[in-house]
Amino acid sequence: MRSLLPVLTVVAAILAFWYVACIPMNIHFAAMQAERAGVPVTPEGMAPRREMGAIPLAARNPHIWAETWVQDKPRLPAPHQVAIELWQTTVEKKVTSKRSLVFHGWVTLSATLVGFGIGAVAGVLLAVGIVHSRAMDMSVMPWAIASQTIPILAIAPMIIVVLNSVGVQGLVPKAIISAYLSFFPVVVGMVKGLRSPTPMDLDLMRTWNASRDQTFRKLRLPASVPYLFASLKIGIAASLVGAIVGELPTGAARGLGARLLSGSYYGQTVQIWSALFATAILAAVLVAAIAAMERATLKRMGVGR
Amino acid sequence: MSDLAVIQAKGLDLTFQTNDGAVQALKGVDLDINRGDFVSFIGPSGCGKTTFLRCVAALETPTGGSLTVNGMSPEEARQARAYGYVFQAAGLYPWRTIAGNIRLPLEIMGFSKAEQNERVEKVLELVDLAGFGGKFPWQLSGGMQQRASIARALSFDADILLMDEPFGALDEIVRDHLNEELLKLWERTGKTIGFVTHSIPEAVYLSTRIVVMSPRPGRITDVIESPLPKERPLDIRDTPEFLEVAHRVREGLRAGHAYD
């Protein structure tokens, strides 16, 4: 409870900054509309205003600031506009509606979860292989690193086109892009975790004449759990990004990525921002779900306090 | 002598290859450790005392000479579960309870569930931790954790206990207490104990024999048979006999350093 005040202060500061930023961003359009409605604006006329910077124009017309927060297609929508749009498209629309963010969110979420599942399993298996075989360490790790240096925006269209040509479309290509982004943090975290036992821990195992398999199951695997969860959190956020990026190049009609895309086609900035916020909220919920799993698992293992 | 000796080293050499060239960790080490002995290894860092213990445990491979444990090679002795090893850190798994940690070697060695439980109870009793089996390591003090790690080394009933500075990280009061407990435990179980330490009083108080070593190359400079009786209260450390042995150990350590 004691942290409530600082948290609220930070939120208030962000909102205040956002409202202030809306003024110069939207002032040109607000001035034009005010002039048409017969409200005096300085300077008069479109041409001189066009020459002017947004901040001086805003400074000279404080009486039309309120108009910058209520436009239909602002350059930067105000927080309450985004909040209202979010409310209308999640709670008030039926979930089957093409304009419901719940509907689009589910489309993206399902691809995210499938991709994350594939990526996490592949990541863990690769890590196990890398830790057990020097040959795999030398041969797989460079490719895993190389795969992440390629911009996902460049490779996503290729994956979609290639899969489309063999008749695979819809959820699967997006899930593959998700998996492509999420396996890497899992590999890195899991390798680190499986290698986290100290030389002394391993020596102890040797004094008991433990087999490699026993050392793995009783020492390496449990020791890697905290590392695994840390990388799963990164992985699931990356999965969501992957699913959205997978929706962009096809001009998909469904999904949060499609909402972003169609919003930018039609200049619907409020729609873009509400889709962005929906994405951020979804990511936060997913990471929180992993964190809850982590707490429960560590508690069951006796490590959680 | 040879049927009494459980650990026999003859002309043992061990050379590590490092980036700075070869380092001779052990040179010409001859030592017999008899059944039921409590042998301490003392010497400055780099004298090879830990390395010798690791050779016995087959954690290092000697590069020359011969070494037998219970008449077998160290590798075979390990497979025959000839020894329990206690490190300086307790090395308990944080995700296992104390009982779970002690059960770990038993699980690995394939004891039945019933026997596992029975043995865990027995060794917890032995190190005075009865009733603490359900606790997690972080709930115990450092001294208790180290006792749990000793219980773990005892759980599978090896004849030999190898201890590498087991109390080195503990404060002196706890250390004294654990030394006393260890002596009682040794008397009750009749194990052969190899004990590495930095502390002269600890070595003299505990041992039937004290092996003084010196570095570069690691070798034995003196082996002292302790004249102290088997029954040793803590205040034996103020008797003239004790001080005399301690003096001889100190002399041995100094002699090893003379041409450094």
Side-chain angles (χ1 to χ4, degrees):
Chain A
M1 271 295 116
R2 270 166 58 200
S3 58
L4 193 66
L5 190 68
V7 168
L8 287 179
T9 309
V10 170
V11 171
I14 292 172
L15 288 178
F17 176 77
W18 189 347
Y19 274 110
V20 171
C22 285
I23 299 171
M25 289 296 281
N26 304 332
I27 195 74
H28 279 95
F29 189 74
M32 191 180 84
Q33 282 196 313
E35 201 167 45
R36 275 191 201 153
V39 180
V41 179
T42 45
E44 279 175 39
M46 291 277 280
R49 283 203 303 270
R50 206 174 294 135
E51 304 289 303
M52 232 178 150
I55 292 174
L57 183 59
R60 287 167 73 173
N61 296 285
H63 59 288
I64 57 166
W65 282 4
E67 303 300 315
T68 63
W69 298 319
V70 292
Q71 295 168 7
D72 268 351
K73 291 186 175 183
R75 277 195 197 160
L76 177 64
H80 69 271
Q81 293 179 293
V82 176
I84 289 168
E85 169 81 4
L86 264 177
W87 178 262
Q88 286 174 344
T89 51
T90 50
V91 180
E92 291 181 0
K93 286 269 182 313
K94 275 200 298 198
V95 293
T96 50
S97 159
K98 280 271 161 77
R99 298 187 59 193
S100 162
L101 269 183
V102 178
F103 166 80
H104 291 287
W106 169 247
V107 170
T108 302
L109 179 63
S110 54
T112 301
L113 291 178
V114 172
F116 176 67
I118 299 170
V121 170
V124 168
L125 291 180
L126 277 176
V128 171
I130 285 169
V131 168
H132 274 89
S133 145
R134 207 175 141 61
M136 252 188 103
D137 186 14
M138 311 248 288
S139 58
V140 174
M141 212 49 180
W143 289 104
I145 292 166
S147 75
Q148 302 302 303
T149 63
I150 302 167
I152 189 66
L153 275 171
I155 204 162
M158 292 198 279
I159 293 176
I160 286 171
V161 168
V162 167
L163 287 176
N164 195 39
S165 71
V166 294
V168 179
Q169 45 189 323
L171 183 142
V172 176
K174 289 195 281 174
I176 287 173
I177 294 165
S178 272
Y180 182 89
L181 282 187
S182 62
F183 88 94
F184 185 69
V186 177
V187 170
V188 173
M190 196 66 187
V191 166
K192 180 97 181 149
L194 290 173
R195 284 185 179 153
S196 65
T198 61
M200 194 201 79
D201 290 331
L202 295 169
D203 276 346
L204 257 179
M205 277 289 179
R206 281 180 67 192
T207 66
W208 302 324
N209 212 31
S211 67
R212 257 170 95 112
D213 179 51
Q214 285 170 325
T215 305
F216 181 77
R217 277 186 295 118
K218 295 192 186 293
L219 175 59
R220 290 189 189 274
L221 206 55
S224 72
V225 169
Y227 295 82
L228 174 64
F229 276 107
S231 48
L232 287 182
K233 283 184 205 164
I234 303 170
I236 199 152
S239 272
L240 184 61
V241 171
I244 288 171
V245 168
E247 285 163 352
L248 295 179
T250 55
R254 305 191 303 175
L256 291 172
R259 286 298 275 180
L260 288 172
L261 201 64
S262 72
S264 72
Y265 281 162
Y266 304 112
Q268 297 284 358
T269 43
V270 180
Q271 180 187 322
I272 297 177
W273 279 83
S274 63
L276 280 179
F277 270 83
T279 309
I281 292 165
L282 189 56
V285 168
L286 289 173
V287 172
I290 302 272
M293 274 166 61
E294 177 179 25
R295 268 197 305 279
T297 309
L298 292 185
K299 202 168 169 196
R300 265 194 68 178
M301 286 173 71
V303 191
R305 314 258 158 114
Chain B
M1 171 138 174
S2 61
D3 41 294
L4 268 177
V6 291
I7 298 171
Q8 248 184 330
K10 276 207 181 63
L12 199 66
D13 287 328
L14 176 55
T15 309
F16 289 116
Q17 299 299 333
T18 69
N19 291 337
D20 300 333
V23 174
Q24 198 150 32
L26 292 173
K27 184 173 164 56
V29 171
D30 294 309
L31 187 69
D32 284 359
I33 297 179
N34 296 333
R35 189 169 307 284
D37 265 356
F38 195 129
V39 179
S40 284
F41 297 85
I42 190 165
S45 309
C47 71
K49 53 194 193 303
T50 293
T51 308
F52 179 75
L53 218 60
R54 289 176 64 87
C55 286
V56 174
L59 293 171
E60 307 284 356
T61 313
T63 46
S66 76
L67 177 65
T68 59
V69 179
N70 283 344
M72 298 174 273
S73 75
E75 192 68 40
E76 289 164 344
R78 172 166 76 201
Q79 279 156 24
R81 297 171 206 156
Y83 65 86
Y85 204 107
V86 179
F87 289 88
Q88 179 168 6
L92 301 170
Y93 293 177
W95 57 87
R96 280 175 174 253
T97 59
I98 296 302
N101 269 290
I102 296 173
R103 189 175 293 123
L104 181 66
L106 303 175
E107 285 172 12
I108 287 169
M109 293 168 184
F111 286 87
S112 74
K113 263 261 152 25
E115 193 164 359
Q116 283 178 22
N117 292 335
E118 193 182 311
R119 280 168 179 264
V120 168
E121 285 309 312
K122 203 183 94 190
V123 290
L124 275 175
E125 196 92 37
L126 212 53
V127 298
D128 221 4
L129 280 179
F132 287 93
K135 294 263 189 275
F136 281 96
W138 58 271
Q139 295 171 302
L140 266 57
S141 69
M144 289 164 100
Q145 289 186 18
Q146 198 51 277
R147 261 153 51 196
S149 96
I150 293 171
R152 182 178 56 187
L154 293 171
S155 64
F156 46 95
D157 250 343
D159 294 333
I160 305 169
L161 195 54
L162 302 174
M163 308 178 90
D164 186 2
E165 293 187 49
F167 310 137
L170 303 175
D171 67 65
E172 195 148 348
I173 296 165
V174 176
R175 195 175 180 146
D176 279 353
H177 176 65
L178 288 184
N179 280 340
E180 226 181 341
E181 301 261 299
L182 182 61
L183 269 189
K184 281 189 208 146
L185 190 123
W186 171 62
E187 207 180 304
R188 258 184 293 170
T189 56
K191 306 246 183 239
T192 310
I193 299 182
F195 189 96
V196 166
T197 180
H198 267 125
S199 152
I200 295 173
E202 189 172 67
V204 179
Y205 176 68
L206 291 172
S207 322
T208 55
R209 288 163 82 203
I210 302 154
V211 178
V212 183
M213 299 182 74
S214 77
R216 280 177 294 270
R219 66 201 181 284
I220 295 176
T221 48
D222 198 3
V223 178
I224 302 162
E225 299 281 343
S226 174
L228 300 177
K230 231 182 160 177
E231 192 68 34
R232 297 179 189 180
L234 272 177
D235 49 24
I236 201 171
R237 293 181 297 182
D238 299 323
T239 63
E241 292 88 352
F242 185 96
L243 296 174
E244 202 187 300
V245 180
H247 179 74
R248 198 175 145 193
V249 174
R250 196 167 292 118
E251 289 292 298
L253 288 172
R254 202 168 292 152
H257 262 298
Y259 49 89
D260 234 9

